[in-house]
Amino acid sequence: MHFTRLFLCFVLPLVGFLTGLRAQSVLETEYRFGRQSTTLEQALESLTDQGVPLAYRTDRVEGFDLEPHQSERIRLDLLLDRLLTNTGLIWTYSPAGPRIDIYPDPNLSEAQFTFSGEVIDAASKELLIGANIYLTNLRIGTVANNFGKFSLGLTGGAHEVIVSYTGYAPYKAKVLFDRDKQLIIKLKPDATLPELLVPFNRDTLLPLGLEFEGDPVSIEATERLSGPGGEADPLRTLSLLPGITTGADGLGGIFIRGSDQGQNLVQLDGVPLFNYGHAAGLFSIFNLQAIRRIDLYKEAIPAKFGGRLSGVLDVHTRDGNLNYDEYQIGTSLGASRFTAEGPLIPDTSSFLITGRYLWARPLIRNLSARYKENNGRSGETDYQLYDINFKLNHQLGKNDRIFFSFFRALDDFENEATEVQNTTVINNVGALFRYRSLQTGSQAVQWNNTMAALRYTHDFPGRLYTNLMVSYSQLNVGAAFTRIDSLEETVAGDKTGTFDIEQLGSQLRRIGLDLDAEYHFGINNRLDFGFELGSYNFLTDLVISSEANSSIVNNPETAPNEELPFEAIPYASLKVQHGNWLFRGGFRGQFWVNGGQTNFDFLPRLLARRQINPRFDVQASLDFTSQAVHRLSSVSIGLPTDMWVPSTGRYQPARARQISLRSRWLLTKNWRLELGAYVRKMNRILLYAPNIEADQTWSNNVSQGKGSTEGLEFLLSRRLGAGRWSGWLSYTWANSERTFDERVNLGRPFPFRFDREHSIGLTVFCQISPRVDLNLAWRFASGAAYSFNLTSFNLPPEVTEVFTQPEDPTTIAGDRNQFRLPADHRLDVNLRFRIPSKLGEPRHQFNLGVYNAYNRRNPIYYDLRTDYVSKEGELAAQREFVQVFIAPLLPVFSYELTFSGKRPKTIDL
């Protein structure tokens, strides 16, 4: 009893006192802080080696750099306070042991903050749209939006931030979030890094909410896959992806999941374009030197995109270099181009101008005249084109920018061919007749695009981003097709013949006012909302005439038809992430007013995605779309032309709904597989169906009907950087058909003009050396559906027809598009190499290759050629169907020279 009291009264206080002395001595002991410690982890390891009893998790102290310091001795408690400043870590001392614990501040880990800012090119200071921002320890992320901005909600503490963008060295840093943070993250261009050739560049699938909503079209892949003559074109890269088809050799543009090209929304800097092809779609109007990013939406279309039934192609131009002047001059076998960019006020405003011009115009005329002469005809083909991009970018303040964009493109095509034939006929009684036939065909098509936009962006730091834009877009189309087939008996002077005339004129102007806003809240949740106002001016002129047994052609004249519709579109979309689920629901409301008639469409959009594990996810989406402006195409002569017309009280806006499923597997570190399926139903779509008995107005020459399309998609890809070679293999099975009134195919269903049951795209990119790469692209597609122009079968009544082809194509007089062109396929080979150069010195790049390497002749359409012969004492017309194709095997060559003006002595990277 006495011993117990003695222990409690004297021994325990003594032990506590001695322990306190020891604790005081540990924390107040001076330790050497060496200069070799450059990171927090190294400093703590050094203290542990000196006997300090530290306890911490290595992953919590990694990634913190220390300020440069002199070697010194300092008390331990003061040293720990210094080391853990701006790390979100705290320390506590426990006398039992003793032990010093280092761990995250619990007050921070329970707090919510916002991480926002922008990602820019460190060299040019251009905004990097779609850059990935990822926090590794929290496993959350987001992407920079269309303005290069990002916002992300997160818990407080020190988190590792990784920012990546194709072709740039990644940014990695440990950042302390003890309050809302707004950063400007600069990425350094790195030409040695692999470019993104397929839609992934990670070892795992991107976490939910991190991906940019569209599928990026690789600019690098486009540069490697040059087209005819050496012109690089993003539409050729698109044609190798699943769900995308084109006409033969790309003619006619792109068709997304069985829809007409006029049912695609194509935007340049947020402004809709009504034509995006040069040479009737042989290549696009997009000059690659002006493009920063291209995104494709086939499904899960965000609510801010609309006005078309099918997919979306969203094209963004570069802003221009804010640091120094840079110039690029290039040429191919067909066109020359130039680019100039640089600062107007360093770090504040910049400009970008690019242009392209077809220098081969005289060559085209001479070669075409020689070709026709060798085939017994006279005439020539004349073609001219150009396009120009101009952009200004000015930063008004920390959170305000203003942009001005301008684009202009023109195509002018003329083709004429005349064939004269003399035929002698001796009848059964010995009478001699001499005939002179004259066959003339001419096509003249001119179309031009103009686009201008003034855009103002304002950021309410951390949460709300707004974009206000005034825009102007115009398309002018003029086309005239003439075909004359005359026959003259030279002795008697009797003349007979047929002629067909088709003239189309279309002018479309749109003036728009758009407001887009993004509000970020929570962890990766976002509300998008805004409105669009559009005022249209349609001016259409249509002349169709066909006569037989007449020697005089009277061109009817009609007054153009003018219409002035107006549209108003509000939209909203909410994106929410919950665990492994991502949901997005939204709507568009479309008010269309024309001629006193008002139409309203409510268009919901739904998306649900689940990430099963880091290597597998699935997605389902539902898209309702509407289209109030319609593109009518004439293909009677084989060369497509456009006439845009508005919805009216008689023809209401077309509507469509699409259900899509998609799943993605990361099979290994380098191989990825995507599978997709879709069904789309369309109604109230328009088809150009000329009725030559009607008056010359477009509304009497169209038919309204419905359509359906369905398909399965497959994509197997190997990422670049996985070795010396990469690429992808795509396959699409698809079916697309249309049904219209009795004027078209007697009301029976028929295949869509560019319905292709099977499509395959194969690309192989081989990196021979850091400066040389070899690239191959092979395309295959089932033959497109086709109808012959029956008006070309008119002949004088006294002439007997003789068809020489074993398979008589005239059997197509039955169902529309029941004839199938042969399957088209082609192999392109390109070798690209760059001459080594130092930073700031001129850079040279060459591209050599072969277009259509095995000389496949893919028919675009069939023409009907007539020869008059004497047969059994009578004049007979021997008719033969002739394939018309784009080009045989062609060489590919392009050269680019890039050089810079005076660079700043230092660039903050």
Side-chain angles (χ1 to χ4, degrees):
M1 186 69 167
H2 294 288
F3 175 78
T4 302
R5 290 179 178 177
L6 179 65
F7 180 80
L8 292 174
C9 294
F10 297 101
V11 177
L12 284 182
L14 179 62
V15 172
F17 175 74
L18 294 176
T19 302
L21 287 177
R22 184 181 178 189
Q24 184 179 24
S25 63
V26 170
L27 296 177
E28 294 181 354
T29 301
E30 292 187 349
Y31 290 87
R32 177 164 296 281
F33 184 34
R35 298 178 62 180
Q36 68 275 16
S37 298
T38 59
T39 66
L40 174 60
E41 186 179 9
Q42 291 174 345
L44 296 180
E45 288 177 355
S46 176
L47 290 175
T48 301
D49 293 340
Q50 297 179 59
V52 178
L54 297 176
Y56 57 88
R57 277 176 43 179
T58 304
D59 61 323
R60 289 176 174 171
V61 301
E62 291 176 338
F64 292 109
D65 295 327
L66 300 179
E67 295 291 335
H69 58 276
Q70 298 293 329
S71 180
E72 60 179 324
R73 293 187 66 85
I74 186 173
R75 276 177 36 168
L76 179 60
D77 54 351
L78 299 178
L79 177 58
L80 291 175
D81 288 341
R82 179 195 296 183
L83 292 177
L84 300 184
T85 300
N86 296 325
T87 66
L89 301 173
I90 61 175
W91 63 272
T92 58
Y93 176 75
S94 175
R99 189 176 71 179
I100 299 174
D101 293 290
I102 298 175
Y103 55 92
D105 185 347
N107 294 325
L108 281 180
S109 60
E110 296 175 0
Q112 293 280 334
F113 300 107
T114 299
F115 178 31
S116 62
E118 62 185 24
V119 185
I120 65 174
D121 182 315
S124 67
K125 295 190 177 179
E126 286 195 66
L127 298 173
L128 299 181
I129 299 171
N132 292 324
I133 299 93
Y134 185 51
L135 283 74
T136 55
N137 53 331
L138 296 179
R139 294 187 60 80
I140 61 173
T142 187
V143 295
N145 63 15
N146 286 337
F147 322 125
K149 311 290 185 178
F150 68 89
S151 180
L152 184 65
L154 43 74
T155 57
H159 305 308
E160 183 182 48
V161 177
I162 298 179
V163 182
S164 60
Y165 192 81
T166 302
Y168 289 76
Y171 167 90
K172 296 182 180 180
K174 252 317 181 36
V175 180
L176 174 64
F177 293 94
D178 55 356
R179 60 185 184 279
D180 291 345
K181 286 286 179 74
Q182 187 177 16
L183 300 179
I184 297 178
I185 299 174
K186 303 174 182 178
L187 299 186
K188 180 180 178 181
D190 190 341
T192 65
L193 291 177
E195 293 285 346
L196 180 67
L197 298 187
V198 291
F200 76 113
N201 63 344
R202 289 180 172 272
D203 294 344
T204 61
L205 294 179
L206 297 174
L208 283 176
L210 180 60
E211 289 181 281
F212 203 78
E213 292 172 317
D215 294 321
V217 180
S218 172
I219 302 298
E220 170 69 6
T222 300
E223 288 181 346
R224 294 187 178 195
L225 302 175
S226 297
E231 287 299 302
D233 180 32
L235 296 191
R236 295 197 166 268
T237 306
L238 280 170
S239 69
L240 292 162
L241 298 176
I244 311 295
T245 58
T246 69
D249 292 317
L251 195 71
I254 61 170
F255 309 96
I256 301 176
R257 290 185 167 180
S259 293
D260 186 86
Q261 68 159 322
Q263 294 167 346
N264 304 325
L265 174 63
V266 179
Q267 291 192 160
L268 182 63
D269 285 341
V271 183
L273 297 177
F274 298 98
N275 179 71
Y276 53 90
H278 280 308
L282 187 59
F283 58 97
S284 76
I285 60 177
F286 303 120
N287 189 335
L288 210 60
Q289 282 69 41
I291 304 303
R292 164 60 71 185
R293 185 179 177 96
I294 302 176
D295 291 288
L296 169 69
Y297 299 83
K298 298 183 296 184
E299 60 193 8
I301 300 173
K304 68 178 180 179
F305 295 119
R308 302 293 185 273
L309 296 185
S310 185
V312 178
L313 199 63
D314 193 22
V315 183
H316 299 272
T317 59
R318 298 193 295 111
D319 298 332
N321 197 315
L322 279 163
N323 273 333
Y324 55 89
D325 294 334
E326 191 165 27
Y327 309 93
Q328 187 176 82
I329 301 172
T331 188
S332 67
L333 293 179
S336 296
R337 54 191 178 274
F338 75 93
T339 303
E341 60 181 305
L344 297 173
I345 303 175
D347 297 333
T348 302
S349 61
S350 64
F351 76 94
L352 170 74
I353 182 169
T354 68
R356 179 168 49 176
Y357 177 78
L358 185 69
W359 62 263
R361 184 180 187 182
L363 183 63
I364 292 174
R365 289 201 299 260
N366 292 335
L367 290 178
S368 63
R370 186 177 305 174
Y371 175 82
K372 291 175 182 182
E373 183 179 359
N374 292 337
N375 286 273
R377 290 173 287 169
S378 61
E380 65 180 17
T381 300
D382 189 12
Y383 186 62
Q384 182 56 273
L385 68 83
Y386 71 80
D387 53 53
I388 186 169
N389 292 82
F390 177 70
K391 191 170 185 179
L392 290 174
N393 160 40
H394 181 72
Q395 188 163 348
L396 298 173
K398 182 179 179 181
N399 298 312
D400 301 89
R401 283 178 181 260
I402 188 168
F403 301 88
F404 174 73
S405 300
F406 176 81
F407 170 77
R408 170 80 174 176
L410 177 137
D411 286 71
D412 192 353
F413 170 81
E414 293 183 7
N415 181 51
E416 183 175 353
T418 300
E419 183 174 1
V420 179
Q421 183 180 0
N422 295 304
T423 306
T424 301
V425 177
I426 302 177
N427 65 12
N428 295 332
V429 296
L432 184 145
F433 300 89
R434 299 183 185 276
Y435 294 92
R436 181 177 182 270
S437 66
L438 175 66
Q439 298 177 44
T440 300
S442 65
Q443 304 94 35
V445 185
Q446 184 184 87
W447 62 100
N448 60 77
N449 276 339
T450 303
M451 182 279 284
L454 182 64
R455 180 160 56 98
Y456 167 71
T457 65
H458 177 72
D459 305 341
F460 298 89
R463 295 288 184 182
L464 181 63
Y465 304 103
T466 59
N467 174 63
L468 180 65
M469 181 175 67
V470 179
S471 63
Y472 174 86
S473 184
Q474 176 176 303
L475 171 66
N476 292 327
V477 176
F481 301 134
T482 304
R483 185 168 191 146
I484 300 175
D485 190 347
S486 66
L487 183 67
E488 178 184 6
E489 207 288 316
T490 56
V491 177
D494 297 332
K495 296 181 181 180
T496 58
T498 63
F499 72 86
D500 298 293
I501 290 179
E502 185 171 343
Q503 296 178 2
L504 299 174
S506 175
Q507 182 183 82
L508 168 57
R509 293 196 302 268
R510 180 186 185 273
I511 298 175
L513 175 66
D514 302 72
L515 174 65
D516 300 304
E518 294 181 6
Y519 177 70
H520 297 254
F521 63 97
I523 297 180
N524 213 15
N525 300 329
R526 192 178 80 199
L527 175 65
D528 295 347
F529 60 94
F531 67 84
E532 301 174 16
L533 300 176
S535 176
Y536 290 83
N537 184 302
F538 290 86
L539 200 63
T540 56
D541 188 13
L542 175 63
V543 174
I544 304 171
S545 181
S546 180
E547 296 186 18
N549 302 321
S550 173
S551 60
I552 301 176
V553 176
N554 296 315
N555 294 340
E557 296 183 359
T558 59
N561 181 36
E562 185 175 26
E563 297 177 83
L564 304 170
F566 176 81
E567 67 179 0
I569 302 171
Y571 75 88
S573 177
L574 178 63
K575 176 182 175 184
V576 177
Q577 181 177 342
H578 179 70
N580 290 329
W581 284 93
L582 178 69
F583 300 96
R584 190 186 70 208
F587 75 92
R588 284 177 67 88
Q590 178 174 284
F591 293 89
W592 179 263
V593 182
N594 187 17
Q597 298 286 331
T598 300
N599 182 275
F600 173 73
D601 285 316
F602 180 78
L603 309 168
R605 308 279 174 87
L606 298 173
L607 164 69
R609 184 187 303 158
R610 175 172 170 77
Q611 189 157 18
I612 308 300
N613 58 54
R615 291 179 174 268
F616 175 54
D617 66 17
V618 293
Q619 172 181 295
S621 61
L622 175 64
D623 298 310
F624 282 79
T625 54
S626 177
Q627 181 162 346
V629 296
H630 310 273
R631 174 184 175 271
L632 305 179
S633 297
S634 168
V635 292
S636 60
I637 311 294
L639 182 67
T641 58
D642 300 336
M643 181 168 64
W644 287 86
V645 298
S647 294
T648 63
R650 181 178 178 183
Y651 300 113
Q652 296 181 341
R655 285 178 58 99
R657 65 184 184 275
Q658 176 179 262
I659 299 175
S660 304
L661 300 174
R662 186 175 73 170
S663 60
R664 302 177 303 173
W665 287 271
L666 194 70
L667 303 177
T668 67
K669 181 178 180 180
N670 299 319
W671 287 91
R672 175 164 155 176
L673 174 66
E674 289 191 24
L675 298 177
Y678 65 90
V679 175
R680 181 190 296 131
K681 300 293 184 181
M682 300 173 284
N683 57 67
R684 303 197 303 227
I685 58 177
L686 296 185
L687 177 71
Y688 180 61
N691 180 6
I692 61 175
E693 301 300 328
D695 57 64
Q696 306 297 311
T697 60
W698 71 264
S699 59
N700 289 326
N701 288 277
V702 298
S703 177
Q704 191 168 48
K706 60 184 179 180
S708 65
T709 177
E710 58 189 2
L712 301 173
E713 299 172 354
F714 168 93
L715 176 65
L716 178 65
S717 52
R718 176 181 169 89
R719 71 182 180 94
L720 191 64
R724 296 188 61 181
W725 70 275
S726 60
W728 67 82
L729 170 67
S730 68
Y731 167 75
T732 305
W733 173 87
N735 177 63
S736 184
E737 68 175 23
R738 304 288 188 268
T739 306
F740 290 87
D741 59 29
E742 291 186 354
R743 285 196 304 160
V744 180
N745 205 46
L746 301 178
R748 297 190 297 262
F750 60 91
F752 171 55
R753 169 72 176 88
F754 291 99
D755 172 54
R756 297 180 183 274
E757 186 174 10
H758 306 284
S759 299
I760 301 173
L762 174 64
T763 63
V764 178
F765 302 95
C766 181
Q767 196 73 38
I768 298 175
S769 73
R771 300 289 177 180
V772 181
D773 48 72
L774 177 66
N775 313 288
L776 297 90
W778 182 73
R779 302 163 176 84
F780 171 89
S782 302
Y786 192 72
S787 291
F788 285 91
N789 177 22
L790 297 184
T791 61
S792 65
F793 287 73
N794 295 328
L795 285 175
E798 70 274 15
V799 177
T800 303
E801 292 187 49
V802 179
F803 285 93
T804 59
Q805 282 194 189
E807 297 181 4
D808 187 355
T810 59
T811 58
I812 53 82
D815 286 350
R816 185 184 180 101
N817 287 351
Q818 79 168 28
F819 180 73
R820 289 281 177 174
L821 296 175
D824 62 72
H825 47 90
R826 189 184 76 248
L827 174 66
D828 301 333
V829 181
N830 288 277
L831 180 69
R832 187 181 65 164
F833 61 94
R834 297 172 292 278
I835 298 177
S837 62
K838 297 180 180 179
L839 182 65
E841 294 183 348
R843 303 187 299 275
H844 306 268
Q845 178 174 295
F846 295 87
N847 186 17
L848 303 174
V850 177
Y851 172 84
N852 195 5
Y854 51 81
N855 199 25
R856 169 71 177 181
R857 298 195 173 191
N858 295 308
I860 306 169
Y861 65 97
Y862 282 86
D863 196 10
L864 193 61
R865 182 175 299 171
T866 304
D867 291 324
Y868 291 95
V869 297
S870 175
K871 184 177 182 180
E872 297 178 356
E874 295 183 356
L875 182 67
Q878 183 172 287
R879 311 207 115 187
E880 181 181 7
F881 286 93
V882 180
Q883 288 186 0
V884 178
F885 61 96
I886 287 290
L889 181 150
L890 290 175
V892 168
F893 171 80
S894 67
Y895 165 72
E896 288 182 359
L897 168 65
T898 304
F899 56 96
S900 304
K902 185 177 180 181
R903 289 177 174 244
K905 294 182 179 179
T906 60
I907 297 178
D908 182 13
L909 298 179

